[in-house]
Amino acid sequence: MSMLTPPGMGGKYRITGAKYPRMRPPRHRRRIVLAAIAGVVALGLVGWGTVQLVDVFTADDGTGTKTATASDRNRTPSCKPSPSAVAAKTLPKPAQIKVNVYNATPRAGLAKSTADELKKRGFLIGKVGNAPAAFDKKIPGTGILLGAPTAADGSLAVLGAQLKGAKPQHDARETKDVDLLLGTAFKTLNVRKEADRTLAVLARPAPGDPC
């Protein structure tokens, strides 16, 4: 250690100058300041680059607004059905439906009593009697609803609300009347309130395709 080094400094400071010893620390603080400045510059460059990337993927149409790029257009749109996309199903009124009631069971008078109840509910009643030979005592369920293909979503649906479990079928008729063939499992028509609730559900608006 030099004799000019103050006691206890351990060589950490050095003496400069000719008159009075001046002490200065090493240049570690300068390095820290330079490193901090470099870090700030690097963060600024990263931020600038991000802005440039955003500009690349959006295009200005000349009006000051950004237009969607190809990647934006390829995204699946989040569609919602508009009010015009839904509509209530129009069902015919019972008074517009003519029903022929046929008994395919061994129980006498079943077609007549069922026809009378349907008449109370507003249906028009046509023929009433025993089922044709093709169906007589050959319907194991509650019944069959028979009509033209065009009656599937109309008359047959309204009549089907009156009889739980009845199966709709189509034939080649061109008339608008429908047949109710009572099967061996038939006991009684649905309670009128229950039938009305079923019709209300059938008439509810159905959601359309949102896209």
Side-chain angles (χ1 to χ4, degrees), residues 66-151:
K66 297 291 184 178
T67 57
T69 61
S71 61
D72 294 331
R73 291 191 294 269
N74 290 334
R75 294 175 183 171
T76 303
S78 178
C79 313
K80 292 183 179 180
S82 62
S84 61
V86 295
K89 181 185 293 185
T90 302
L91 296 173
K93 302 295 183 182
Q96 300 173 305
I97 303 174
K98 184 178 181 179
V99 184
N100 304 312
V101 185
Y102 297 108
N103 183 9
T105 77
R107 289 173 285 170
L110 196 59
K112 176 67 167 60
S113 61
T114 302
D116 290 344
E117 180 59 28
L118 288 174
K119 186 176 181 179
K120 293 178 182 179
R121 300 184 183 191
F123 289 89
L124 297 175
I125 303 301
K127 298 177 181 179
V128 178
N130 292 327
F135 296 99
D136 191 24
K137 299 178 181 64
K138 298 177 182 178
I139 304 176
T142 57
I144 290 178
L145 309 176
L146 193 60
T150 54

Side-chain angles (χ1 to χ4, degrees), residues 121-186:
R121 300 184 183 191
F123 289 89
L124 297 175
I125 303 301
K127 298 177 181 179
V128 178
N130 292 327
F135 296 99
D136 191 24
K137 299 178 181 64
K138 298 177 182 178
I139 304 176
T142 57
I144 290 178
L145 309 176
L146 193 60
T150 54
D153 294 331
S155 300
L156 292 184
V158 176
L159 182 58
Q162 315 299 320
L163 180 58
K164 184 180 299 183
K167 297 181 179 180
Q169 293 184 9
H170 307 142
D171 57 14
R173 75 182 69 188
E174 297 180 356
T175 57
K176 294 183 179 180
D177 62 322
V178 294
D179 298 344
L180 171 57
L181 298 111
L182 303 174
T184 55
F186 174 79

